[in-house]
Amino acid sequence: MIELRTPTQIEQMRPAGRFVASVISALAEKADVGVNLLELDAMAHDMIRAEGAESCYIDYHPSFGAMPFGKVLCTSVNEAVLHGLPFDYVLQEGDLLSVDFAASVDGWVADSALSVVVGTPRQEDLDLIATTDRALATGIAAATVGNRVGDISAAIGDVARSAGLGVNLQFGGHGVGRTMHGDPHIANDGRAGRGLKLRPGLVIAIEPWFLHTTDEIYIDKDGWTIKSSDGSRGAHMEHTIAVTDDGPLVLTARG
Ligand code: MG
C-alpha cells in the first residue's frame, strides 16, 4: 500500500532524519583502522538511548533472516555490501566499510547508509564509492512530482552502466514511514516512464549499491550479511527523501 504524508507529517519526520544523519556522521568519523565493528554498533546504540529513539534493526526478523538481527547497525566490509551483521572484527588498512542505520524518532523512521574507506584507500574503491554516490544523487534528482518510480530506477541504472557496473535487482529502495520498509519498491535499474507516479508526500529510501565486478550475491553463513559472489568489493549509499511540490527533500542530509 502506498501512503502519502501531509506536509505536517513530513515536518514531523525531520527529527528522525536529523538523528539518523547525525549517527551516520559520527560513525564515519569514528571508523578507522583498529576500530572494532562491535564498537561502532555500541556507539550507535548509545546514541539511540541518548536520543530516546528506537532501533529498526534489533528485533528485525524478515522472512530472509535466520533470526532477529540483534544489533542496531549494519556494518558491511569489503566483499560484504548489505545487511552486514556486526561481529568481532577490527578494521584493517584500506578496508571499505558500509554502514546502514535506521531508527524511529517520535514514531517516524529514517534510513541512511554511507560507504567509507579506512586508512589508505585503493583508487578503485574511491571510484566505486563516488559512482554509487553519484547514482544516489541522480536518483534523488529524478524524484520529482510527475515523474515515475521507473525514472528514479533508470537514473540510477544509467550511472551504473556508464561506469561499467552491473546492477542487482534483488534489493533496492523502499517506502519509509511508521515502519522501515513499505511500498513502493525502488529498484536500482528500470525503465524510465514506468511504474508508480510520484506524488507529493511520498517518502522513500533510495539506496544504490554496486559491486566492482559482479551483480551476483550470496548470504554469508551468519544468516544476514550479503556478499559478492566473486569476492569483489561493494559500496552502498542511501538517503530517505520526501517528494514535495518544491522538489525532493533529503530528510537524512548530513550537515
Ligand atoms: Mg538502510
Side-chain angles (χ1 to χ4, degrees):
M1 188 178 75
I2 306 295
E3 293 181 87
L4 298 176
R5 314 297 171 185
T6 65
T8 304
Q9 288 175 320
I10 290 171
E11 282 305 307
Q12 291 169 349
M13 296 179 88
R14 283 182 182 270
R18 274 197 297 269
F19 171 64
V20 166
S22 73
V23 173
I24 293 283
S25 294
L27 289 165
E29 191 146 318
K30 181 161 175 77
D32 205 349
V33 175
V35 172
N36 195 301
L37 299 180
L38 296 175
E39 291 175 63
L40 297 176
D41 180 69
M43 189 184 79
H45 213 157
D46 286 346
M47 291 181 77
I48 285 176
R49 288 191 199 94
E51 179 76 15
E54 231 174 273
S55 170
C56 296
Y57 291 173
I58 198 157
D59 298 323
Y60 188 58
H61 191 183
S63 55
F64 59 82
M67 72 282 304
F69 192 69
K71 304 289 183 194
V72 302
L73 178 69
C74 292
T75 54
S76 304
V77 180
N78 298 337
E79 76 277 15
V81 65
L82 293 178
H83 305 167
L85 184 65
F87 65 108
D88 182 11
Y89 174 79
V90 174
L91 289 168
Q92 312 285 312
E93 185 70 33
D95 276 350
L96 197 176
L97 168 71
S98 301
V99 291
D100 189 350
F101 181 76
S104 171
V105 175
D106 303 333
W108 294 104
V109 170
D111 190 358
S112 185
L114 176 71
S115 292
V116 295
V117 180
V118 299
T120 308
R122 305 180 191 179
Q123 187 57 47
E124 62 180 24
D125 289 345
L126 295 181
D127 292 346
L128 182 68
I129 292 171
T131 299
T132 312
D133 202 29
R134 196 162 67 248
L136 174 59
T138 309
I140 291 172
T144 54
V145 173
N147 265 1
R148 291 179 182 270
V149 164
D151 294 302
I152 300 173
S153 300
I156 293 169
D158 284 350
V159 171
R161 260 187 306 280
S162 69
L165 299 172
V167 178
N168 177 296
L169 297 177
Q170 276 175 270
F171 295 96
H174 47 88
V176 175
R178 294 289 186 184
T179 60
M180 176 167 58
H181 288 141
D183 292 329
H185 175 69
I186 317 279
N188 285 327
D189 198 9
R191 292 174 68 182
R194 298 296 178 94
L196 178 80
K197 206 165 200 178
L198 303 178
R199 290 196 282 158
L202 186 69
V203 179
I204 50 178
I206 298 177
E207 50 175 322
W209 59 277
F210 304 131
L211 302 163
H212 270 303
T213 51
T214 184
D215 57 6
E216 305 261 309
I217 54 174
Y218 71 96
I219 300 180
D220 183 82
K221 58 186 182 312
D222 69 11
W224 285 100
T225 306
I226 290 178
K227 296 183 168 179
S228 68
S229 62
D230 66 355
S232 66
R233 293 181 169 194
H236 180 207
M237 292 286 187
E238 176 180 22
H239 274 308
T240 297
I241 68 123
V243 176
T244 80
D245 282 320
D246 302 323
L249 171 67
V250 181
L251 292 164
T252 49
R254 292 181 292 275

Coordinates of all heavy atoms in Angstrom, one line a residue, residues 57 100 111 238, ligand 1:
Y57 N 16.4 -2.1 13.7 CA 17.1 -3.4 13.3 C 17.0 -4.4 14.4 O 17.0 -5.6 14.0 CB 18.5 -3.1 13.0 CG 18.8 -2.3 11.8 CD1 20.1 -1.8 11.5 CD2 17.8 -2.0 10.8 CE1 20.4 -1.1 10.4 CE2 18.1 -1.2 9.7 CZ 19.4 -0.8 9.5 OH 19.7 0.0 8.3
D100 N 24.9 1.1 7.5 CA 23.5 1.3 7.2 C 22.7 1.4 8.5 O 22.9 0.5 9.4 CB 23.0 0.2 6.3 CG 21.6 0.4 5.7 OD1 20.9 1.4 6.1 OD2 21.2 -0.4 4.8
D111 N 16.2 6.3 7.3 CA 17.1 5.2 6.9 C 18.1 5.8 6.1 O 17.8 6.5 5.1 CB 16.2 4.2 6.2 CG 16.9 2.8 5.9 OD1 18.1 2.7 6.2 OD2 16.2 2.0 5.3
E238 N 22.7 5.7 0.8 CA 21.2 5.7 0.9 C 20.8 7.0 1.6 O 21.5 7.4 2.6 CB 20.8 4.5 1.8 CG 19.3 4.5 2.1 CD 18.9 3.3 2.9 OE1 19.7 2.7 3.6 OE2 17.7 3.0 2.9
Ligands
MG1 MG 19.1 1.5 5.1

